[in-house]
Amino acid sequence: MGHDKTRSDVTVGNVDWDDPQINHLLKKVDGWNIDHRSHLPPKHVLIRVTCGWSASEASKPALLISDGDGVMVLATRFPLPHGEEVQVNSEAAGTSRTRWGVVIEEREGLRGEDRAEGVFLNWLRIRLR
């Protein structure tokens, strides 16, 4: 079948890594990274750390920027504590929804606008209750 090709069927040709045009291109893309975010618009939510040393009664605003495959990605102005449970409250069409997740990764945003605004990205594994 035409779509079932092994890697040996692909020819990339000879590359002259000393070519000034290639070096110029490589310098332009140096430092690029993939910061995948959902194609859906961000959704305003309220979050609260519910377990662990950072547990709080106060809710704080966040943006839900990706939600799928058992993982939520939240943008916040502060890092969420790794390994702790977070309650995520949202509203849509007058209906409230509450879900919980455990923080599995957190880091500063890599985009220029994220750094300028002090945005942190937090990955939560959705937890069923």
Side-chain angles (χ1 to χ4, degrees):
M1 295 170 82
H3 67 278
D4 186 23
K5 295 187 179 218
T6 63
R7 191 74 182 136
S8 63
D9 294 338
V10 178
T11 303
V12 293
N14 294 328
V15 177
D16 178 7
W17 293 105
D18 295 321
D19 184 331
Q21 289 180 324
I22 290 178
N23 284 318
H24 177 70
L25 178 62
L26 291 173
K27 286 178 186 173
K28 286 174 75 174
V29 300
D30 188 34
W32 282 8
N33 59 55
I34 297 175
D35 191 6
H36 176 74
R37 298 199 185 164
S38 175
H39 64 283
L40 301 173
K43 183 178 184 178
H44 291 276
V45 295
L46 290 174
I47 62 172
R48 184 172 67 88
V49 177
T50 58
C51 286
W53 293 104
S54 302
S56 170
E57 290 300 317
S59 293
K60 297 179 180 179
L63 283 176
L64 177 63
I65 57 175
S66 180
D67 187 1
D69 296 329
V71 175
M72 292 183 277
V73 181
L74 299 173
T76 60
R77 303 271 185 198
F78 50 90
L80 292 174
H82 187 85
E84 295 196 17
E85 186 177 76
V86 177
Q87 179 180 353
V88 180
N89 297 305
S90 61
E91 284 196 31
T95 303
S96 294
R97 182 177 186 190
T98 300
R99 293 189 298 164
W100 291 266
V102 175
V103 180
I104 57 174
E105 185 179 343
E106 63 289 327
R107 67 166 170 79
E108 281 187 82
L110 298 176
R111 295 178 178 179
E113 61 269 19
D114 290 347
R115 289 187 181 265
E117 296 179 22
V119 171
F120 288 84
L121 299 176
N122 306 274
W123 284 259
L124 280 70
R125 186 181 69 245
I126 297 171
R127 184 171 176 194
L128 301 175
R129 284 194 150 202

